């Protein structure tokens, strides 16, 4: 089973990395770019076939390691 | 128009960050996790309404700044 996890910074938290990329894009002439937000994208192979259990385990992984839930949101998708 | 860009490490390139996360998950008891690959996820607001032009510009941004095309792949989606 393949899992895809998206970790994004919460809307009301500053994203300095995104601001830096926005500034760089502007200085390169891409003036149409507005706000930029940067997050993480993870692909995990999971050796399990039980979808409900996998969702439970993935949630635990996100809460404990993959996302800092104070400042970040996460969501995931399961395939296969 | 809102753009979402996914930057991932090419399949045949080592991903030490992914290996570190995999090791950490194993040491926390998540033994069912196999390979982990980590990429970047970007959300961009674009002040344009011309979809074809936006795609062209986004491709240029990815090639020039957002992705290192020697070791990374990218794909993007446009909404709105």
């Amino acid at each position: 089973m393949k899992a895809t996890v998206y970790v994004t910074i919460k809307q009301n938290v500053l994203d300095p990395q995104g601001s830096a990329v926005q500034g760089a894009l502007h200085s390169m002439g891409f003036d149409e770019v507005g706000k930029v937000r940067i997050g993480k994208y993870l692909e995990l192979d999971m050796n399990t076939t039980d979808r409900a259990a996998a969702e439970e385990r993935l949630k635990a992984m996100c809460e404990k390691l993959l996302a800092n839930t104070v400042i970040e949101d996460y969501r995931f998708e399961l395939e296969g």
Side-chain angles (χ1 to χ4, degrees), chain A:
Chain A
M1 200 172 274
K2 200 184 137 193
T4 311
V5 181
Y6 305 88
V7 180
T8 49
I9 292 183
K10 283 183 202 253
Q11 279 306 327
N12 51 352
V13 175
L14 278 178
D15 180 4
Q17 198 186 359
S19 303
V21 167
Q22 184 186 2
L25 287 171
H26 282 184
S27 73
M28 290 167 76
F30 296 107
D31 297 312
E32 72 268 48
V33 177
K35 201 171 68 167
V36 179
R37 306 281 290 177
I38 300 189
K40 275 174 289 183
Y41 168 88
L42 296 93
E43 290 174 348
L44 292 86
D45 288 335
M46 295 184 73
N47 306 319
T48 171
T49 50
D50 182 342
R51 195 178 191 86
E55 282 190 10
E56 202 62 43
R57 297 282 282 173
L58 259 178
K59 189 160 178 258
M61 288 180 217
C62 289
E63 296 278 346
K64 288 182 184 166
L65 181 75
L66 304 179
N68 174 355
T69 54
V70 177
I71 56 166
E72 292 173 329
D73 289 321
Y74 65 85
R75 65 193 161 84
F76 54 79
E77 289 158 13
L78 274 170
E79 274 173 59

